Amino acid sequence: MSLLATLLGDAPSPADAARGSAPRLLAYLADAASAALLNSAAASLLPCEVRTGDIRSAVRDLARQRSPDLLLVDLSGVANPLAAMEALAGVCDPSVRVIAVGDSNDIGLYRDLRRIGVTDYLFKPLSRDLLEGALRAAAAGAAADEAAGRLGKLVAVVGARGGVGTTTVAVHLGCWLADGARGRTALVDLDLQNGTVALALNLRPEPALREAVEAPDRVDDVFMERAMVAASDRLSVLAAEEPVEDVIDIAPAAALSVLNRLQARHNYVVVDAGRAQGGAARAALEAASIVVLVGDASVAGLRDLVRLRAAIARRAGGGRLVTVLNRRGAPGELPAADLMRTLGEPPEHALPYRPVPLAVAAGVGEPAFRHCRRFREAMERLGADVAGQPAAQDGLFRRWVRR
Ligand SMILES: Nc1ncnc2c1ncn2[C@@H]1O[C@H](COP(=O)(O)OP(=O)(O)OP(=O)(O)O)[C@@H](O)[C@H]1O
Ligand SMILES: [Mg+2]
């Protein structure tokens, strides 16, 4: 799909896909006998919907609808159950508890499934007692998760000045967290009029974001899902293109309520907070568990980087602050000795100045990972740091690198 097609408005939106309301338990079973048994075991325990099919049907359906609280999937006859589970993880909310059912009594498979986060593995023939026990345990686990209010990590990306690459960093970080760290990621552009996050990924924003921040009490999860546009299996974008002549003032509490709702459904919520000048962006900065401060090594860039860094360090929230010096090697940057003297301590990360590949990537509306190895490697280090993971491994970025 071309950038032009998106701009002209004839691009289909994945968010248009129908989305139903979530049952507590959604089950996919390949045979009628197991399905009947599950129906009777679940009847007195929790609301349940049983569909005919296996894990592949679950992957297909959950790419288009909201995740349930509990999911039971049939692995019988599936050649590579772990790969199928990985595909499921790509379309399913991180909070979902998954019970797998299969036809093989294999302790190795059981261990592998538990290792990747599957709550339980039951093998056929199933019994009512076995199913009831597994459902009770999974439901109790889900309730405990909810009570603990497990939330994804909020990452605010803020720029020392305009044009230093805040959006570039936010977009690439979002892509890395989704496709490199394999977390469900929401990428939010708080500039509802001139933001460029959606453009950078060749997406057309849904119009619902403004409504969401202007009337947050009318917003529920279904509404939020409609407002988001899918960039990949795990990456969703929340952005807008409101008329430039409007005056839009997002209330900080409204922004926080939207971000909080996203955190409940995503492992990472990355916010492009621009220069953090509005109340909403400031609130995001305060609430973030990690603030990524982007600057460059120009005279003005450094002045503002140092000032903003000190201001953020003084702020109440107290999340971790990570400084990124972007555009390293750009014409006009200060010599290294002056840079270090001004900064006091070295930035945690630096990204190289690569105008040509970044412009080419921006022109086609995709991240620059496959256009520039050095930029990608530096972004991988930043992404791994933000995710709290060891440095990236081979085989990541399949989506953006190997096309
Ligand atoms: N490391 C880099 N090397 C070369 N060009 C870069 C680099 N980082 C960003 N750019 C380019 O700089 C321009 C501005 O980047 P970007 O839009 O990310 O900045 P911004 O700080 O978000 O700007 P604004 O203040 O307008 O929101 C873009 O054309 C982008 O491709
Ligand atoms: Mg920007």
Side-chain angles (χ1 to χ4, degrees), residues 211-271:
E211 205 181 324
V213 290
E214 286 181 345
D217 42 329
R218 290 214 302 270
V219 172
D220 59 13
D221 287 339
V222 178
F223 185 95
M224 287 303 295
E225 281 179 32
R226 289 220 178 94
M228 305 194 78
V229 184
S232 74
D233 288 347
R234 293 185 206 81
L235 180 66
S236 305
V237 172
L238 190 56
E241 248 172 46
E242 294 299 322
V244 284
E245 64 273 23
D246 289 5
V247 175
I248 300 179
D249 196 10
I250 308 172
L256 287 181
S257 144
V258 167
L259 294 176
N260 222 257
R261 202 170 272 284
L262 292 176
Q263 283 177 270
R265 293 249 163 210
H266 296 83
N267 302 107
Y268 302 101
V269 177
V270 178
V271 180

Side-chain angles (χ1 to χ4, degrees), residues 369 372-381 397 401:
F369 295 125
C372 181
R373 186 174 58 83
R374 279 200 50 214
F375 184 82
R376 185 185 85 228
E377 287 171 353
M379 272 310 307
E380 282 175 348
R381 286 190 288 276
F397 283 124
V401 179

Side-chain angles (χ1 to χ4, degrees), residues 288-331:
S289 51
I290 298 193
V291 175
V292 176
L293 172 60
V294 184
D296 66 14
S298 64
V299 175
L302 277 176
R303 180 198 65 180
D304 293 344
L305 182 63
V306 169
R307 291 198 302 180
L308 194 56
R309 192 175 60 176
I312 292 173
R314 284 194 302 270
R315 86 197 196 289
R320 185 174 162 227
L321 175 61
V322 174
T323 305
V324 177
L325 202 58
N326 188 24
R327 305 164 63 89
R328 275 318 310 272

Side-chain angles (χ1 to χ4, degrees), residues 18-60:
R19 290 173 168 119
S21 65
R24 282 270 291 144
L25 168 67
L26 178 61
Y28 289 81
L29 283 163
D31 65 294
S34 301
L37 208 58
L38 177 66
N39 263 321
S40 77
S44 60
L45 296 176
L46 71 182
C48 164
E49 181 185 339
V50 183
R51 297 180 185 169
T52 305
D54 61 17
I55 188 168
R56 290 165 293 202
S57 326
V59 173
R60 185 198 58 217

Side-chain angles (χ1 to χ4, degrees), residues 161-168 189 191 194-197 272-275:
R161 293 180 63 79
V164 292
T166 313
T167 301
T168 303
D189 195 336
D191 183 344
N194 302 104
T196 53
V197 167
D272 180 348
R275 292 164 61 198

